Amino acid sequence: MPYEFERTQRIAILGGGPGGYEAALTGAQLGADVTLIERTGVGGAAVLTDVVPSKTLIATAEAATAVKEAADLGVQFFTHEGGRAVHPQVTVNLAAVNKRLLSLADQQSEDLKDQLMAAGVRIITGEGRLDGANRLVVSTGTGKKRTDFDSVEADTLVISVGASPRILPTAKPDGERILTWKQLYTLDDIPEHLIVVGSGVTGAEFASAYLALGAAITLVSSREQVLPNEDADAAEVIGKVFIRNGMTVLSQSRAASVERTTDGVLVTLSDGRTVEGSHCLMAVGAVPNTAGIGLEEAGVQLTESGHIRVNRVARTSMPSIYAAGDCSDFLPLASVASMQGRTAVFHAMGDAVTPTELRNVTSNIFTQPEVATVGWSQKQIEQGIAQGEIYKLPLPSNPRAKMMGIKDGFVKLFARTGSGTVIGGVVVAPKASDLILPIALAVEHRLTVDQLASAFSVYPSLSGAITDAARAMHIVS
């Protein structure tokens, strides 16, 4: 049943990704008259072509790794041929994997759509643009059948149009051999040799996943090490794991061009070297989808990169317009987009609101092992931006890690000098995305290392490494 409210305030949302979805749901629950305009499907790129499918692919890669490494734990697989035992070959049916992940993405989108409709949100499928600070114009249909829908008037606009893969003029994707991360899911077979251009989060995640799935990988990194913007110790671990598992990492190398050959691709580096492969994934950043939708004409300020300038409650330079997600100049994470969407509507409707504090945001990189972070970084402490003590506990020393055969990783805590208040942390481990939560709670609620250490962790458990690290940082009063 739809929520029963006398709907007075009108909210129009352009883009149905995590930010737009949460803004729509929150507005409907607070009694607003909400219209959501989305061109592809509720959930946007995050659900249909980015987060959901990529993390599903990574889950499959983790399963493949678990099978391959089972022998290290004494688990062996045999089949019988001609009366003798032989090792079976572990293979991945990529066509089946991609069919499954796209199906999951579509189902998730439909579930989100059903939730919005049940809440009373009006959903329009089409292309939208601003016509002033309180009006959206929507084009529906395709091709010659495209027509202008009746304009949507609103008291508040929320812009959540996301971002698209950055395209280099010398390496234009063709959807077959030269690919963006949105086009990988059309492949029927594991690439024989995948060249990944870009060693940031997206490039590292897909390089890690396809390596586990059985592809030969060459990673082209313009920096000295992979994940150049992350914790240096974490990046070093991931780089060593990549190389140990057979990946070729070309450090301090920049791709000048990518060309399609008869049966593959040719990547030319800026120093003249060339790399040949079967496929190439371009992971060189993203561009906000803010061009040509009437933002500047409506008075909304943009950065030089085209991102929408917002404050900590997601408000733009125009009082009636808010922005959420990757199109804004905030942190490009789905969780942050969702928080921005909720915060924007709370603020617009005069409800209680807590401005988003970026230092409290957790983030995770889904490589094998994962890298999770929260709070101040070691680099900021070393630069004197934050005053803190640093403690690093190698994960292989943890008893549960030994049982699981974990060879790489660590827990690192940062505590305020003097008080011992937890101000940040890094976890490199399998499922670090789960293990970071107690550190995030400590940062959010300003717990000390002694308070964190006083919690009972299960023995044996990987989370015990967190309390062990906190205990090692005991503050003597």
Side-chain angles (χ1 to χ4, degrees):
M1 291 288 293
Y3 290 88
E4 297 296 333
F5 290 109
E6 181 183 353
R7 303 184 187 272
T8 54
Q9 183 156 337
R10 301 166 302 169
I11 298 176
I13 301 160
L14 183 57
Y21 166 80
E22 288 290 346
L25 186 61
T26 301
Q29 291 173 341
L30 292 179
D33 183 345
V34 181
T35 300
L36 173 67
I37 298 152
E38 167 57 41
R39 61 184 177 183
T40 55
V42 178
V47 168
L48 293 169
T49 59
D50 193 350
V51 180
V52 171
S54 68
K55 277 36 176 188
T56 306
L57 178 77
I58 289 167
T60 301
E62 290 172 348
T65 298
V67 172
K68 293 173 185 176
E69 295 181 350
D72 295 341
L73 304 182
V75 178
Q76 297 180 332
F77 301 88
F78 293 98
T79 59
H80 291 276
E81 292 182 6
R84 62 188 183 90
V86 297
H87 284 288
Q89 184 178 3
V90 178
T91 59
V92 175
N93 183 337
L94 189 62
V97 171
N98 284 339
K99 181 179 178 180
R100 173 178 179 267
L101 63 84
L102 291 175
S103 176
L104 288 174
D106 287 340
Q107 185 57 59
Q108 177 70 4
S109 178
E110 286 300 312
D111 289 346
L112 295 177
K113 179 180 178 181
D114 290 345
Q115 291 174 22
L116 291 183
M117 293 181 67
V121 175
R122 178 191 184 198
I123 300 174
I124 301 174
T125 301
E127 299 272 354
R129 68 180 187 277
L130 284 77
D131 184 15
N134 297 94
R135 185 170 181 260
L136 293 176
V137 176
V138 187
S139 297
T140 60
T142 57
K144 296 181 179 179
K145 295 182 179 180
R146 184 175 295 279
T147 58
D148 282 340
F149 194 86
D150 291 340
S151 62
V152 179
E153 304 279 349
D155 304 297
T156 299
L157 302 181
V158 180
I159 311 303
S160 180
V161 293
S164 297
R166 181 173 169 233
I167 305 298
L168 301 181
T170 56
K172 292 184 178 180
D174 60 12
E176 296 178 351
R177 294 286 181 174
I178 306 173
L179 308 155
T180 69
W181 64 80
K182 291 186 175 186
Q183 298 170 328
L184 284 168
Y185 312 115
T186 61
L187 298 177
D188 291 328
D189 300 299
I190 301 293
E192 181 181 344
H193 179 188
L194 177 64
I195 303 170
V196 179
V197 176
S199 63
V201 174
T202 300
E205 286 185 346
F206 279 111
S208 177
Y210 274 93
L211 184 69
L213 293 173
I217 302 291
T218 296
L219 181 61
V220 179
S221 174
S222 62
R223 306 292 185 87
E224 187 174 344
Q225 62 181 17
V226 301
L227 300 173
N229 297 320
E230 305 301 322
D231 179 86
D233 290 338
E236 182 180 5
V237 169
I238 299 303
K240 286 182 177 178
V241 170
F242 281 177
I243 293 171
R244 188 180 69 214
N245 290 343
M247 186 185 301
T248 300
V249 179
L250 301 179
S251 301
Q252 295 182 307
S253 301
R254 190 177 297 275
S257 65
V258 182
E259 303 170 77
R260 182 166 177 171
T261 62
T262 303
D263 56 355
V265 294
L266 177 68
V267 177
T268 302
L269 305 181
S270 56
D271 60 6
R273 289 177 296 160
T274 59
V275 185
E276 293 186 72
S278 62
H279 298 76
C280 180
L281 168 63
M282 298 300 298
V284 290
V287 178
N289 298 324
T290 55
I293 60 172
L295 287 167
E296 292 175 295
E297 293 83 350
V300 176
Q301 292 182 1
L302 305 178
T303 67
E304 290 184 7
S305 60
H307 292 85
I308 302 171
R309 295 186 185 276
V310 294
N311 61 17
R312 290 173 58 202
V313 294
R315 201 177 203 176
T316 72
S317 55
M318 295 298 293
S320 62
I321 302 176
Y322 296 75
D326 291 5
C327 65
S328 77
D329 64 349
F330 234 49
L331 195 63
L333 293 173
S335 58
V336 173
S338 297
M339 182 64 75
Q340 283 183 291
R342 291 191 294 269
T343 300
V345 172
F346 284 142
H347 187 265
M349 297 189 68
D351 206 327
V353 61
T354 301
T356 303
E357 178 56 73
L358 283 180
R359 283 198 299 273
N360 294 355
V361 173
T362 56
S363 63
N364 193 73
I365 302 169
F366 291 85
T367 47
Q368 295 186 44
E370 296 178 0
V371 178
T373 58
V374 66
W376 293 100
S377 68
Q378 181 169 337
K379 184 177 181 180
Q380 290 170 319
I381 292 173
E382 291 172 344
Q383 291 174 339
I385 298 173
Q387 301 299 315
E389 306 297 326
I390 302 167
Y391 183 81
K392 177 181 171 185
L393 188 151
L395 194 63
S397 65
N398 174 273
R400 185 64 183 276
K402 289 186 176 74
M403 299 170 192
M404 297 170 66
I406 294 173
K407 304 180 184 69
D408 307 285
F410 60 81
V411 169
K412 189 190 292 186
L413 291 181
F414 311 132
R416 183 80 65 188
T417 302
S419 67
T421 303
V422 180
I423 60 172
V426 181
V427 178
V428 178
K431 299 294 184 279
S433 49
D434 296 326
L435 290 171
I436 196 68
L437 181 60
I439 303 177
L441 288 171
V443 171
E444 177 73 31
H445 297 289
R446 297 179 172 84
L447 303 182
T448 66
V449 287
D450 287 345
Q451 289 172 320
L452 181 57
S454 67
F456 281 89
S457 58
V458 171
Y459 182 87
S461 67
L462 295 183
S463 60
I466 296 171
T467 50
D468 285 347
R471 195 169 295 115
M473 300 184 79
H474 172 60
I475 304 299
V476 180
S477 57

